[in-house]
Amino acid sequence: MVTSTLRMNTQFLSGDALVSHLQAAVKEQLQPYTQAIDRLGVYPEDFLKYIGILGAYAQAVHPEFGGTGKGLVGVLQAIETVSRECGSTGFMVWCQNACAWYIQNAENHFLQSKILPTIARGEFLAGTGLSNPMKHFAGIEKINLIAQPSQGGYILNGMLPWVSNIGEGHYFAVAARIAGCENYLMAIVCGGQRGLTLRQDAHFIALEGTRTFKCIFRDVFVSKEWVLAAPCTHYVERIKPGFILSQVGIGLGIIASCIELIEKENRRKFHINSFLDDQAENLAKELAGLRQRSYQLAETIGCGQKLVSDEILKEVITCRIKTSELALRAAQSAMLHAGAVAYLNNSPHQRKLREAYFVAIVTPALKHLRKMLASLS
């Protein structure tokens, strides 16, 4: 892959300029490797770092901390642009933005002034280890990490089954129950810390190139400087809307690419494909509506740092649900429009189908989202 020299730079692109430069980077530096990422598990590290220079992770970061302060709309645009070519790489762009979002919305000047700018630039890559705690706080499963208070911080023990976009020197967030009480904390840890083991013991469909590891914590010390919030109940409510809404970008990109595949197939096979449901023009109309609504919600949330109403949260969850459902329909339609050729190993149609299922399964999964919506209603 193309290796780029990283430099300190806060003159990031935004809006149409960002999208245009990201499209060029995708074509030149990602597209030639999409098959290798999907089938061989190649990790596109150079690409992920390069688009950090462009501003792919800086949009919802306040200028005081090295970002543009433009808000979540730019995050959605960056994730969609990459996901249009490769859903798993788009997912990693979301992971990076999610970690930046956690720090942006904390009340921790050390993390915001020292760590957040490096994540916003893509100088250091980052993941999000909140699948287990998000499920726990929704009453779906038990929390996996325990934090024992210690002088100057906490000692963590436990295991997280799968955390993506991590490795030696990568940052990621964790949540743990504080021993001896009913409170929880959230903190940032780093691959390579003493006592933290990253183990790759599973192979995935559509996610092989995402550096997804099991994380085993054995007496991992986290100083108070690296704590995002403790207790973290109100903090989790503050980060939740942006966490959920930014995932919509992955779905938007996959849906858009499925529509392109359908249109391509219809140039030769419309005489028979016209009998199928979910034609390109209908899907495109629904996609445009979802994109517009997601942008409106993103404008409302901005760069976070505030609680939103339950009504806005319900709309965010509904938008995310509709995106999952439309991604599944669009991917299925792309398969049906292509027919037998969709079953070839190198077919983009079957890759898009696998990626669409991931949009509906990644935390918060479709069933999780519907449970959240029901509890709010």
Side-chain angles (χ1 to χ4, degrees), residues 219-249:
D219 296 331
V220 176
F221 178 73
V222 176
S223 74
K224 289 182 179 178
E225 279 189 324
W226 292 81
V227 173
L228 292 162
C232 65
T233 305
H234 295 297
Y235 171 75
V236 169
E237 294 305 310
R238 195 160 67 239
I239 64 172
K240 189 185 295 181
F243 175 93
I244 295 171
L245 183 64
S246 53
Q247 290 179 336
V248 168

PDB file of all heavy atoms in Angstrom, residues 219-249:
ATOM      1  N   ASP A 219      -4.600  -7.728  35.704  1.00  0.00           N
ATOM      2  CA  ASP A 219      -4.002  -6.679  36.541  1.00  0.00           C
ATOM      3  C   ASP A 219      -3.440  -5.538  35.702  1.00  0.00           C
ATOM      4  O   ASP A 219      -2.286  -5.123  35.847  1.00  0.00           O
ATOM      5  CB  ASP A 219      -2.902  -7.262  37.440  1.00  0.00           C
ATOM      6  CG  ASP A 219      -3.436  -8.266  38.445  1.00  0.00           C
ATOM      7  OD1 ASP A 219      -4.613  -8.131  38.845  1.00  0.00           O
ATOM      8  OD2 ASP A 219      -2.693  -9.179  38.823  1.00  0.00           O
ATOM      9  N   VAL A 220      -4.265  -5.022  34.805  1.00  0.00           N
ATOM     10  CA  VAL A 220      -3.877  -3.880  33.971  1.00  0.00           C
ATOM     11  C   VAL A 220      -4.156  -2.598  34.742  1.00  0.00           C
ATOM     12  O   VAL A 220      -5.304  -2.312  35.096  1.00  0.00           O
ATOM     13  CB  VAL A 220      -4.656  -3.884  32.634  1.00  0.00           C
ATOM     14  CG1 VAL A 220      -4.314  -2.633  31.825  1.00  0.00           C
ATOM     15  CG2 VAL A 220      -4.338  -5.144  31.834  1.00  0.00           C
ATOM     16  N   PHE A 221      -3.100  -1.816  34.998  1.00  0.00           N
ATOM     17  CA  PHE A 221      -3.273  -0.574  35.751  1.00  0.00           C
ATOM     18  C   PHE A 221      -3.650   0.561  34.811  1.00  0.00           C
ATOM     19  O   PHE A 221      -3.016   0.776  33.777  1.00  0.00           O
ATOM     20  CB  PHE A 221      -1.994  -0.206  36.495  1.00  0.00           C
ATOM     21  CG  PHE A 221      -2.098   1.099  37.252  1.00  0.00           C
ATOM     22  CD1 PHE A 221      -2.851   1.178  38.408  1.00  0.00           C
ATOM     23  CD2 PHE A 221      -1.454   2.241  36.782  1.00  0.00           C
ATOM     24  CE1 PHE A 221      -2.970   2.377  39.112  1.00  0.00           C
ATOM     25  CE2 PHE A 221      -1.562   3.445  37.471  1.00  0.00           C
ATOM     26  CZ  PHE A 221      -2.320   3.516  38.636  1.00  0.00           C
ATOM     27  N   VAL A 222      -4.717   1.292  35.186  1.00  0.00           N
ATOM     28  CA  VAL A 222      -5.149   2.471  34.446  1.00  0.00           C
ATOM     29  C   VAL A 222      -5.136   3.646  35.410  1.00  0.00           C
ATOM     30  O   VAL A 222      -5.875   3.646  36.401  1.00  0.00           O
ATOM     31  CB  VAL A 222      -6.566   2.282  33.862  1.00  0.00           C
ATOM     32  CG1 VAL A 222      -7.021   3.562  33.171  1.00  0.00           C
ATOM     33  CG2 VAL A 222      -6.591   1.120  32.877  1.00  0.00           C
ATOM     34  N   SER A 223      -4.295   4.632  35.138  1.00  0.00           N
ATOM     35  CA  SER A 223      -4.224   5.789  36.024  1.00  0.00           C
ATOM     36  C   SER A 223      -5.448   6.678  35.826  1.00  0.00           C
ATOM     37  O   SER A 223      -6.123   6.616  34.793  1.00  0.00           O
ATOM     38  CB  SER A 223      -2.947   6.585  35.761  1.00  0.00           C
ATOM     39  OG  SER A 223      -3.050   7.301  34.544  1.00  0.00           O
ATOM     40  N   LYS A 224      -5.709   7.529  36.806  1.00  0.00           N
ATOM     41  CA  LYS A 224      -6.883   8.404  36.755  1.00  0.00           C
ATOM     42  C   LYS A 224      -6.810   9.366  35.573  1.00  0.00           C
ATOM     43  O   LYS A 224      -7.842   9.838  35.091  1.00  0.00           O
ATOM     44  CB  LYS A 224      -7.018   9.168  38.066  1.00  0.00           C
ATOM     45  CG  LYS A 224      -7.453   8.271  39.225  1.00  0.00           C
ATOM     46  CD  LYS A 224      -7.641   9.050  40.514  1.00  0.00           C
ATOM     47  CE  LYS A 224      -8.110   8.120  41.638  1.00  0.00           C
ATOM     48  NZ  LYS A 224      -8.257   8.844  42.930  1.00  0.00           N
ATOM     49  N   GLU A 225      -5.589   9.656  35.080  1.00  0.00           N
ATOM     50  CA  GLU A 225      -5.444  10.513  33.906  1.00  0.00           C
ATOM     51  C   GLU A 225      -6.127   9.943  32.679  1.00  0.00           C
ATOM     52  O   GLU A 225      -6.516  10.679  31.782  1.00  0.00           O
ATOM     53  CB  GLU A 225      -3.961  10.727  33.586  1.00  0.00           C
ATOM     54  CG  GLU A 225      -3.265  11.777  34.407  1.00  0.00           C
ATOM     55  CD  GLU A 225      -1.876  12.073  33.882  1.00  0.00           C
ATOM     56  OE1 GLU A 225      -1.218  11.129  33.410  1.00  0.00           O
ATOM     57  OE2 GLU A 225      -1.463  13.242  33.934  1.00  0.00           O
ATOM     58  N   TRP A 226      -6.266   8.615  32.633  1.00  0.00           N
ATOM     59  CA  TRP A 226      -6.810   7.936  31.458  1.00  0.00           C
ATOM     60  C   TRP A 226      -8.274   7.538  31.631  1.00  0.00           C
ATOM     61  O   TRP A 226      -8.833   6.848  30.783  1.00  0.00           O
ATOM     62  CB  TRP A 226      -5.969   6.702  31.141  1.00  0.00           C
ATOM     63  CG  TRP A 226      -4.597   7.071  30.671  1.00  0.00           C
ATOM     64  CD1 TRP A 226      -3.526   7.427  31.450  1.00  0.00           C
ATOM     65  CD2 TRP A 226      -4.155   7.168  29.325  1.00  0.00           C
ATOM     66  NE1 TRP A 226      -2.445   7.727  30.659  1.00  0.00           N
ATOM     67  CE2 TRP A 226      -2.796   7.574  29.344  1.00  0.00           C
ATOM     68  CE3 TRP A 226      -4.766   6.936  28.092  1.00  0.00           C
ATOM     69  CZ2 TRP A 226      -2.052   7.768  28.197  1.00  0.00           C
ATOM     70  CZ3 TRP A 226      -4.025   7.114  26.930  1.00  0.00           C
ATOM     71  CH2 TRP A 226      -2.679   7.529  26.993  1.00  0.00           C
ATOM     72  N   VAL A 227      -8.906   7.989  32.712  1.00  0.00           N
ATOM     73  CA  VAL A 227     -10.314   7.671  32.974  1.00  0.00           C
ATOM     74  C   VAL A 227     -11.203   8.699  32.287  1.00  0.00           C
ATOM     75  O   VAL A 227     -11.041   9.907  32.473  1.00  0.00           O
ATOM     76  CB  VAL A 227     -10.596   7.633  34.480  1.00  0.00           C
ATOM     77  CG1 VAL A 227     -12.094   7.471  34.740  1.00  0.00           C
ATOM     78  CG2 VAL A 227      -9.826   6.487  35.131  1.00  0.00           C
ATOM     79  N   LEU A 228     -12.141   8.223  31.481  1.00  0.00           N
ATOM     80  CA  LEU A 228     -13.088   9.101  30.794  1.00  0.00           C
ATOM     81  C   LEU A 228     -14.172   9.595  31.737  1.00  0.00           C
ATOM     82  O   LEU A 228     -14.560  10.765  31.690  1.00  0.00           O
ATOM     83  CB  LEU A 228     -13.731   8.354  29.621  1.00  0.00           C
ATOM     84  CG  LEU A 228     -12.812   8.018  28.447  1.00  0.00           C
ATOM     85  CD1 LEU A 228     -13.438   6.923  27.589  1.00  0.00           C
ATOM     86  CD2 LEU A 228     -12.535   9.254  27.600  1.00  0.00           C
ATOM     87  N   ALA A 229     -14.671   8.702  32.579  1.00  0.00           N
ATOM     88  CA  ALA A 229     -15.707   9.074  33.540  1.00  0.00           C
ATOM     89  C   ALA A 229     -15.835   7.987  34.589  1.00  0.00           C
ATOM     90  O   ALA A 229     -15.742   6.801  34.271  1.00  0.00           O
ATOM     91  CB  ALA A 229     -17.052   9.268  32.843  1.00  0.00           C
ATOM     92  N   ALA A 230     -16.029   8.391  35.854  1.00  0.00           N
ATOM     93  CA  ALA A 230     -16.266   7.449  36.947  1.00  0.00           C
ATOM     94  C   ALA A 230     -16.968   8.197  38.075  1.00  0.00           C
ATOM     95  O   ALA A 230     -16.358   9.067  38.690  1.00  0.00           O
ATOM     96  CB  ALA A 230     -14.951   6.841  37.434  1.00  0.00           C
ATOM     97  N   PRO A 231     -18.237   7.900  38.321  1.00  0.00           N
ATOM     98  CA  PRO A 231     -19.110   6.965  37.599  1.00  0.00           C
ATOM     99  C   PRO A 231     -19.445   7.496  36.210  1.00  0.00           C
ATOM    100  O   PRO A 231     -19.247   8.678  35.931  1.00  0.00           O
ATOM    101  CB  PRO A 231     -20.352   6.879  38.492  1.00  0.00           C
ATOM    102  CG  PRO A 231     -20.375   8.197  39.217  1.00  0.00           C
ATOM    103  CD  PRO A 231     -18.934   8.573  39.447  1.00  0.00           C
ATOM    104  N   CYS A 232     -19.972   6.610  35.370  1.00  0.00           N
ATOM    105  CA  CYS A 232     -20.101   6.979  33.960  1.00  0.00           C
ATOM    106  C   CYS A 232     -21.529   6.928  33.422  1.00  0.00           C
ATOM    107  O   CYS A 232     -21.736   6.975  32.209  1.00  0.00           O
ATOM    108  CB  CYS A 232     -19.205   6.081  33.107  1.00  0.00           C
ATOM    109  SG  CYS A 232     -19.651   4.341  33.094  1.00  0.00           S
ATOM    110  N   THR A 233     -22.525   6.840  34.303  1.00  0.00           N
ATOM    111  CA  THR A 233     -23.913   6.708  33.846  1.00  0.00           C
ATOM    112  C   THR A 233     -24.329   7.867  32.948  1.00  0.00           C
ATOM    113  O   THR A 233     -24.829   7.665  31.832  1.00  0.00           O
ATOM    114  CB  THR A 233     -24.865   6.598  35.041  1.00  0.00           C
ATOM    115  OG1 THR A 233     -24.452   5.514  35.871  1.00  0.00           O
ATOM    116  CG2 THR A 233     -26.289   6.352  34.570  1.00  0.00           C
ATOM    117  N   HIS A 234     -24.140   9.094  33.411  1.00  0.00           N
ATOM    118  CA  HIS A 234     -24.540  10.259  32.623  1.00  0.00           C
ATOM    119  C   HIS A 234     -23.662  10.413  31.390  1.00  0.00           C
ATOM    120  O   HIS A 234     -24.130  10.849  30.332  1.00  0.00           O
ATOM    121  CB  HIS A 234     -24.493  11.518  33.479  1.00  0.00           C
ATOM    122  CG  HIS A 234     -25.488  11.520  34.607  1.00  0.00           C
ATOM    123  ND1 HIS A 234     -26.846  11.486  34.382  1.00  0.00           N
ATOM    124  CD2 HIS A 234     -25.318  11.523  35.956  1.00  0.00           C
ATOM    125  CE1 HIS A 234     -27.480  11.489  35.542  1.00  0.00           C
ATOM    126  NE2 HIS A 234     -26.582  11.502  36.514  1.00  0.00           N
ATOM    127  N   TYR A 235     -22.390  10.051  31.525  1.00  0.00           N
ATOM    128  CA  TYR A 235     -21.465  10.139  30.397  1.00  0.00           C
ATOM    129  C   TYR A 235     -21.898   9.216  29.258  1.00  0.00           C
ATOM    130  O   TYR A 235     -21.880   9.602  28.080  1.00  0.00           O
ATOM    131  CB  TYR A 235     -20.054   9.784  30.869  1.00  0.00           C
ATOM    132  CG  TYR A 235     -19.050   9.622  29.763  1.00  0.00           C
ATOM    133  CD1 TYR A 235     -18.538  10.730  29.094  1.00  0.00           C
ATOM    134  CD2 TYR A 235     -18.609   8.351  29.379  1.00  0.00           C
ATOM    135  CE1 TYR A 235     -17.616  10.577  28.073  1.00  0.00           C
ATOM    136  CE2 TYR A 235     -17.690   8.195  28.370  1.00  0.00           C
ATOM    137  CZ  TYR A 235     -17.192   9.316  27.718  1.00  0.00           C
ATOM    138  OH  TYR A 235     -16.288   9.159  26.702  1.00  0.00           O
ATOM    139  N   VAL A 236     -22.305   7.995  29.578  1.00  0.00           N
ATOM    140  CA  VAL A 236     -22.755   7.048  28.557  1.00  0.00           C
ATOM    141  C   VAL A 236     -23.958   7.604  27.813  1.00  0.00           C
ATOM    142  O   VAL A 236     -24.061   7.483  26.579  1.00  0.00           O
ATOM    143  CB  VAL A 236     -23.079   5.670  29.180  1.00  0.00           C
ATOM    144  CG1 VAL A 236     -23.789   4.764  28.176  1.00  0.00           C
ATOM    145  CG2 VAL A 236     -21.800   4.997  29.666  1.00  0.00           C
ATOM    146  N   GLU A 237     -24.884   8.239  28.545  1.00  0.00           N
ATOM    147  CA  GLU A 237     -26.051   8.839  27.883  1.00  0.00           C
ATOM    148  C   GLU A 237     -25.634   9.979  26.952  1.00  0.00           C
ATOM    149  O   GLU A 237     -26.277  10.220  25.935  1.00  0.00           O
ATOM    150  CB  GLU A 237     -27.041   9.339  28.931  1.00  0.00           C
ATOM    151  CG  GLU A 237     -27.680   8.228  29.754  1.00  0.00           C
ATOM    152  CD  GLU A 237     -28.345   7.177  28.879  1.00  0.00           C
ATOM    153  OE1 GLU A 237     -29.137   7.556  27.993  1.00  0.00           O
ATOM    154  OE2 GLU A 237     -28.061   5.975  29.074  1.00  0.00           O
ATOM    155  N   ARG A 238     -24.546  10.662  27.302  1.00  0.00           N
ATOM    156  CA  ARG A 238     -24.074  11.773  26.482  1.00  0.00           C
ATOM    157  C   ARG A 238     -23.441  11.292  25.171  1.00  0.00           C
ATOM    158  O   ARG A 238     -23.596  11.921  24.130  1.00  0.00           O
ATOM    159  CB  ARG A 238     -23.077  12.610  27.290  1.00  0.00           C
ATOM    160  CG  ARG A 238     -22.798  13.971  26.696  1.00  0.00           C
ATOM    161  CD  ARG A 238     -22.234  14.936  27.724  1.00  0.00           C
ATOM    162  NE  ARG A 238     -20.907  14.566  28.200  1.00  0.00           N
ATOM    163  CZ  ARG A 238     -20.603  14.319  29.466  1.00  0.00           C
ATOM    164  NH1 ARG A 238     -21.541  14.386  30.388  1.00  0.00           N
ATOM    165  NH2 ARG A 238     -19.386  14.010  29.831  1.00  0.00           N
ATOM    166  N   ILE A 239     -22.722  10.173  25.221  1.00  0.00           N
ATOM    167  CA  ILE A 239     -22.034   9.698  24.013  1.00  0.00           C
ATOM    168  C   ILE A 239     -22.921   8.808  23.142  1.00  0.00           C
ATOM    169  O   ILE A 239     -22.629   8.615  21.969  1.00  0.00           O
ATOM    170  CB  ILE A 239     -20.734   8.928  24.360  1.00  0.00           C
ATOM    171  CG1 ILE A 239     -21.049   7.644  25.146  1.00  0.00           C
ATOM    172  CG2 ILE A 239     -19.761   9.836  25.098  1.00  0.00           C
ATOM    173  CD1 ILE A 239     -19.851   6.745  25.366  1.00  0.00           C
ATOM    174  N   LYS A 240     -23.999   8.275  23.706  1.00  0.00           N
ATOM    175  CA  LYS A 240     -24.806   7.278  22.996  1.00  0.00           C
ATOM    176  C   LYS A 240     -25.369   7.759  21.659  1.00  0.00           C
ATOM    177  O   LYS A 240     -25.269   7.045  20.653  1.00  0.00           O
ATOM    178  CB  LYS A 240     -25.938   6.780  23.904  1.00  0.00           C
ATOM    179  CG  LYS A 240     -26.702   5.591  23.339  1.00  0.00           C
ATOM    180  CD  LYS A 240     -27.894   5.231  24.224  1.00  0.00           C
ATOM    181  CE  LYS A 240     -27.460   4.765  25.578  1.00  0.00           C
ATOM    182  NZ  LYS A 240     -28.626   4.398  26.434  1.00  0.00           N
ATOM    183  N   PRO A 241     -25.988   8.951  21.575  1.00  0.00           N
ATOM    184  CA  PRO A 241     -26.573   9.360  20.287  1.00  0.00           C
ATOM    185  C   PRO A 241     -25.541   9.428  19.159  1.00  0.00           C
ATOM    186  O   PRO A 241     -25.803   8.943  18.054  1.00  0.00           O
ATOM    187  CB  PRO A 241     -27.165  10.741  20.598  1.00  0.00           C
ATOM    188  CG  PRO A 241     -27.407  10.735  22.066  1.00  0.00           C
ATOM    189  CD  PRO A 241     -26.280   9.940  22.638  1.00  0.00           C
ATOM    190  N   GLY A 242     -24.382  10.007  19.410  1.00  0.00           N
ATOM    191  CA  GLY A 242     -23.352  10.085  18.376  1.00  0.00           C
ATOM    192  C   GLY A 242     -22.768   8.731  18.033  1.00  0.00           C
ATOM    193  O   GLY A 242     -22.450   8.451  16.868  1.00  0.00           O
ATOM    194  N   PHE A 243     -22.606   7.880  19.048  1.00  0.00           N
ATOM    195  CA  PHE A 243     -22.125   6.514  18.855  1.00  0.00           C
ATOM    196  C   PHE A 243     -23.017   5.757  17.875  1.00  0.00           C
ATOM    197  O   PHE A 243     -22.548   5.105  16.944  1.00  0.00           O
ATOM    198  CB  PHE A 243     -22.106   5.815  20.222  1.00  0.00           C
ATOM    199  CG  PHE A 243     -21.755   4.354  20.215  1.00  0.00           C
ATOM    200  CD1 PHE A 243     -20.454   3.937  20.403  1.00  0.00           C
ATOM    201  CD2 PHE A 243     -22.741   3.378  20.048  1.00  0.00           C
ATOM    202  CE1 PHE A 243     -20.123   2.592  20.422  1.00  0.00           C
ATOM    203  CE2 PHE A 243     -22.433   2.037  20.059  1.00  0.00           C
ATOM    204  CZ  PHE A 243     -21.112   1.636  20.241  1.00  0.00           C
ATOM    205  N   ILE A 244     -24.334   5.873  18.069  1.00  0.00           N
ATOM    206  CA  ILE A 244     -25.292   5.147  17.238  1.00  0.00           C
ATOM    207  C   ILE A 244     -25.437   5.801  15.863  1.00  0.00           C
ATOM    208  O   ILE A 244     -25.395   5.117  14.830  1.00  0.00           O
ATOM    209  CB  ILE A 244     -26.660   5.075  17.943  1.00  0.00           C
ATOM    210  CG1 ILE A 244     -26.560   4.249  19.235  1.00  0.00           C
ATOM    211  CG2 ILE A 244     -27.726   4.477  17.023  1.00  0.00           C
ATOM    212  CD1 ILE A 244     -27.811   4.308  20.098  1.00  0.00           C
ATOM    213  N   LEU A 245     -25.582   7.118  15.838  1.00  0.00           N
ATOM    214  CA  LEU A 245     -25.846   7.800  14.568  1.00  0.00           C
ATOM    215  C   LEU A 245     -24.681   7.680  13.597  1.00  0.00           C
ATOM    216  O   LEU A 245     -24.896   7.503  12.386  1.00  0.00           O
ATOM    217  CB  LEU A 245     -26.160   9.272  14.818  1.00  0.00           C
ATOM    218  CG  LEU A 245     -26.532  10.080  13.575  1.00  0.00           C
ATOM    219  CD1 LEU A 245     -27.834   9.568  12.953  1.00  0.00           C
ATOM    220  CD2 LEU A 245     -26.652  11.566  13.894  1.00  0.00           C
ATOM    221  N   SER A 246     -23.452   7.763  14.089  1.00  0.00           N
ATOM    222  CA  SER A 246     -22.311   7.711  13.175  1.00  0.00           C
ATOM    223  C   SER A 246     -22.199   6.364  12.460  1.00  0.00           C
ATOM    224  O   SER A 246     -21.647   6.286  11.363  1.00  0.00           O
ATOM    225  CB  SER A 246     -21.010   8.033  13.921  1.00  0.00           C
ATOM    226  OG  SER A 246     -20.849   7.223  15.066  1.00  0.00           O
ATOM    227  N   GLN A 247     -22.765   5.301  13.052  1.00  0.00           N
ATOM    228  CA  GLN A 247     -22.776   3.997  12.376  1.00  0.00           C
ATOM    229  C   GLN A 247     -23.630   4.007  11.115  1.00  0.00           C
ATOM    230  O   GLN A 247     -23.439   3.171  10.224  1.00  0.00           O
ATOM    231  CB  GLN A 247     -23.291   2.914  13.321  1.00  0.00           C
ATOM    232  CG  GLN A 247     -22.350   2.575  14.452  1.00  0.00           C
ATOM    233  CD  GLN A 247     -22.915   1.503  15.369  1.00  0.00           C
ATOM    234  OE1 GLN A 247     -24.139   1.315  15.451  1.00  0.00           O
ATOM    235  NE2 GLN A 247     -22.061   0.802  16.072  1.00  0.00           N
ATOM    236  N   VAL A 248     -24.554   4.945  11.038  1.00  0.00           N
ATOM    237  CA  VAL A 248     -25.408   5.049   9.854  1.00  0.00           C
ATOM    238  C   VAL A 248     -24.557   5.237   8.597  1.00  0.00           C
ATOM    239  O   VAL A 248     -24.905   4.763   7.519  1.00  0.00           O
ATOM    240  CB  VAL A 248     -26.422   6.204  10.016  1.00  0.00           C
ATOM    241  CG1 VAL A 248     -27.121   6.530   8.703  1.00  0.00           C
ATOM    242  CG2 VAL A 248     -27.449   5.844  11.090  1.00  0.00           C
ATOM    243  N   GLY A 249     -23.413   5.911   8.748  1.00  0.00           N
ATOM    244  CA  GLY A 249     -22.536   6.130   7.597  1.00  0.00           C
ATOM    245  C   GLY A 249     -22.092   4.848   6.930  1.00  0.00           C
ATOM    246  O   GLY A 249     -21.955   4.788   5.696  1.00  0.00           O
TER     247      GLY A 249
END
